[in-house]
């Protein structure tokens, strides 16, 4: 059975058996919310001391999974995307659940100078690290209104359905802009239960958030960033560079040395020391 075909209930039963097995005594179980996250984090954790597992159902189910087992087996943790959480002033309180430094794993990777330079120098002939940062932020600014809209939806529960709404065809790289009016129209067609449908009001609410000047790495969804990077890299290559390939390229370029520079890594090390266990090779 493929990982994406497993139900939450089946995963819980599987974990119950795995955790109870004598061979897994002292093993750290690391729960993640995405299938592709498994492939990344298995390269970063000590494979002899840790099992990285995908929990179907999104971050809510992953958190529920950890909460279900933590009272019976302390060496279980979860890693989830921070989404917009770092843009709030609320302290994170969920036991054994750790957040990415930025919006999600992809944005945490895009924050790394070496990764960004490695990818862009190979695929877009960018010759300096500073130019990489300028280009990255320029591309993220193109989709900034979409990012603000998703933040608004998270804050005010407008019941917008973003899944399946593409926007690459609405991007003009030469003009460094996106047809947001058309994007919003497409979004409404995909959101029958939308609580607000007036574009003018939406733009007013977005403009009210802009003075907060949130970090683009916290504001932007990593999959959206991959879409705009795909559009840009395709314009520089003889063949298309898909969004999936962009994400694969970024994750392949992200090493354990990069991971060690993150706050997530430091938090995990602190947890491991407190629980007298080992998550990473020394």
């Amino acid at each position: 059975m493929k990982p994406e075909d497993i139900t939450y209930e089946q995963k819980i039963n599987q974990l119950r058996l795995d955790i109870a097995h004598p061979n897994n005594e002292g093993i750290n179980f690391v729960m993640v919310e995405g299938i592709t996250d498994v492939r990344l984090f298995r390269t970063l954790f000590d494979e002899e001391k840790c099992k990285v597992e995908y929990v179907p159902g999104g971050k809510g189910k992953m958190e529920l999974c950890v909460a279900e087992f933590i009272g019976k087996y302390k060496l279980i943790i979860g890693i989830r995307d921070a989404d917009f959480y770092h843009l709030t002033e609320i302290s994170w309180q969920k036991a054994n659940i750790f957040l990415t430094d930025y919006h999600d794993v992809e944005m945490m990777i895009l924050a790394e100078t070496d990764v960004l330079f490695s990818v862009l120098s190979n695929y877009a002939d960018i010759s300096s690290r500073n130019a990489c940062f300028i280009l990255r932020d320029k591309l993220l600014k193109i989709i900034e209104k979409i990012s603000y809209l998703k933040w608004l939806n998270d804050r005010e529960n407008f019941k917008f359905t973003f899944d399946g709404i593409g926007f690459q065809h609405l991007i003009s790289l030469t003009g460094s802009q996106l047809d947001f009016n058309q994007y919003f129209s497409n979004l409404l067609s995909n959101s029958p239960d939308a609580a607000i449908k007036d574009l003018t009001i939406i733009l007013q609410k977005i403009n009210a958030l802009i003075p907060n000047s949130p970090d683009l790495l916290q504001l932007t969804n990593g999959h959206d960033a991959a879409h705009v990077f795909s559009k840009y890299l395709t314009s520089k290559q003889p063949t298309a560079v898909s969004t999936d390939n962009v994400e694969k390229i970024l994750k392949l370029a992200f090493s354990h040395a990069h991971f060690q520079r993150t706050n997530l890594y430091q938090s995990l090390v602190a947890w491991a020391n407190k629980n007298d266990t080992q998550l990473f090779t020394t």
Side-chain angles (χ1 to χ4, degrees), residues 247-275:
E247 293 182 1
K248 288 176 183 176
I249 292 164
L250 289 172
K251 288 178 178 178
L252 284 172
F254 190 73
S255 69
H256 192 270
H258 298 131
F259 188 44
Q260 287 179 303
R261 293 200 285 263
T262 66
N263 293 328
L264 172 59
Y265 178 86
Q266 299 303 324
S267 297
L268 290 168
V269 168
W271 176 87
N273 291 339
K274 181 179 178 180
N275 288 277

Side-chain angles (χ1 to χ4, degrees), residues 13 95 121 131 143 228 257:
N13 290 333
S121 61
I143 58 172
V228 72

Side-chain angles (χ1 to χ4, degrees), residues 6-17:
I6 297 175
T7 67
Y8 175 74
E9 289 73 22
Q10 288 171 325
K11 188 65 183 182
I12 290 296
N13 290 333
Q14 181 190 90
L15 284 170
R16 191 173 287 116
L17 293 173

Side-chain angles (χ1 to χ4, degrees), residues 3-281:
E4 57 267 31
D5 295 330
I6 297 175
T7 67
Y8 175 74
E9 289 73 22
Q10 288 171 325
K11 188 65 183 182
I12 290 296
N13 290 333
Q14 181 190 90
L15 284 170
R16 191 173 287 116
L17 293 173
D18 285 349
I19 288 174
H21 198 287
N23 289 347
N24 290 328
E25 183 178 356
I27 292 293
N28 301 286
F29 285 80
V30 182
M31 305 294 107
V32 296
E33 60 176 292
I35 294 174
T36 59
D37 293 337
V38 173
R39 290 193 285 270
L40 171 66
F41 284 112
R42 280 181 178 168
T43 69
L44 301 175
F45 284 85
D46 185 338
E47 62 181 358
E48 294 185 0
K49 300 288 186 180
C50 303
K51 287 191 173 184
V52 181
E53 301 283 349
Y54 159 68
V55 179
K59 56 183 64 66
K61 289 292 189 182
M62 185 271 288
E63 292 177 7
L64 186 63
C65 171
V66 172
E68 181 165 337
F69 285 104
I70 197 173
K72 306 166 189 174
Y73 190 82
K74 69 175 185 177
L75 300 180
I76 183 169
I77 61 175
I79 298 174
R80 56 154 284 182
D81 294 339
D83 296 334
F84 300 104
Y85 202 87
H86 292 312
L87 295 178
T88 72
E89 296 180 355
I90 303 170
S91 177
W92 185 252
Q93 299 290 344
K94 296 184 180 180
N96 287 30
I97 302 293
F98 298 88
L99 302 178
T100 53
D101 288 28
Y102 295 100
H103 191 102
D104 49 31
V105 169
E106 289 78 14
M107 299 314 293
M108 189 170 72
I109 294 173
L110 281 174
E112 276 296 326
T113 307
D114 293 343
V115 173
L116 197 61
F117 181 68
S118 172
V119 172
L120 292 177
S121 61
N122 282 323
Y123 285 84
D125 196 29
I126 300 295
S127 59
S128 75
R129 284 168 168 73
N130 187 55
C132 287
F133 282 123
I134 292 172
L135 175 61
R136 181 197 67 192
D137 289 352
K138 180 180 179 180
L139 293 176
L140 297 183
K141 289 287 284 185
I142 291 174
I143 58 172
E144 185 179 36
K145 282 185 179 177
I146 293 177
S147 302
Y148 274 115
L149 182 59
K150 290 186 174 183
W151 189 20
L152 278 173
N153 192 60
D154 183 74
R155 286 162 56 107
E156 303 191 34
N157 191 24
F158 288 143
K159 299 180 180 179
F160 293 135
T161 303
F162 293 96
D163 290 346
I165 300 298
F167 57 78
Q168 283 181 314
H169 62 293
L170 301 176
I171 292 174
S172 167
L173 291 174
T174 55
S176 297
Q177 60 188 7
L178 175 140
D179 187 346
F180 184 75
N181 290 11
Q182 185 59 56
Y183 176 83
F184 187 69
S185 176
N186 296 344
L187 179 65
L188 290 182
S189 297
N190 197 52
S191 309
D193 298 323
I196 184 170
K197 300 183 178 182
D198 191 320
L199 176 60
T200 302
I201 295 175
I202 287 294
L203 290 174
Q204 288 173 348
K205 286 181 173 290
I206 287 175
N207 289 334
L209 288 175
I210 289 176
N212 295 326
S213 300
D215 186 339
L216 286 170
L217 296 174
Q218 301 289 5
L219 182 67
T220 312
N221 175 284
H223 300 301
D224 291 347
H227 281 310
V228 72
F229 268 81
S230 167
K231 176 88 172 184
Y232 174 78
L233 294 178
T234 294
S235 74
K236 300 295 183 180
Q237 295 291 312
T239 57
V241 182
S242 70
T243 298
D244 285 346
N245 280 340
V246 168
E247 293 182 1
K248 288 176 183 176
I249 292 164
L250 289 172
K251 288 178 178 178
L252 284 172
F254 190 73
S255 69
H256 192 270
H258 298 131
F259 188 44
Q260 287 179 303
R261 293 200 285 263
T262 66
N263 293 328
L264 172 59
Y265 178 86
Q266 299 303 324
S267 297
L268 290 168
V269 168
W271 176 87
N273 291 339
K274 181 179 178 180
N275 288 277
D276 193 26
T277 188
Q278 180 178 323
L279 294 174
F280 310 106
T281 55

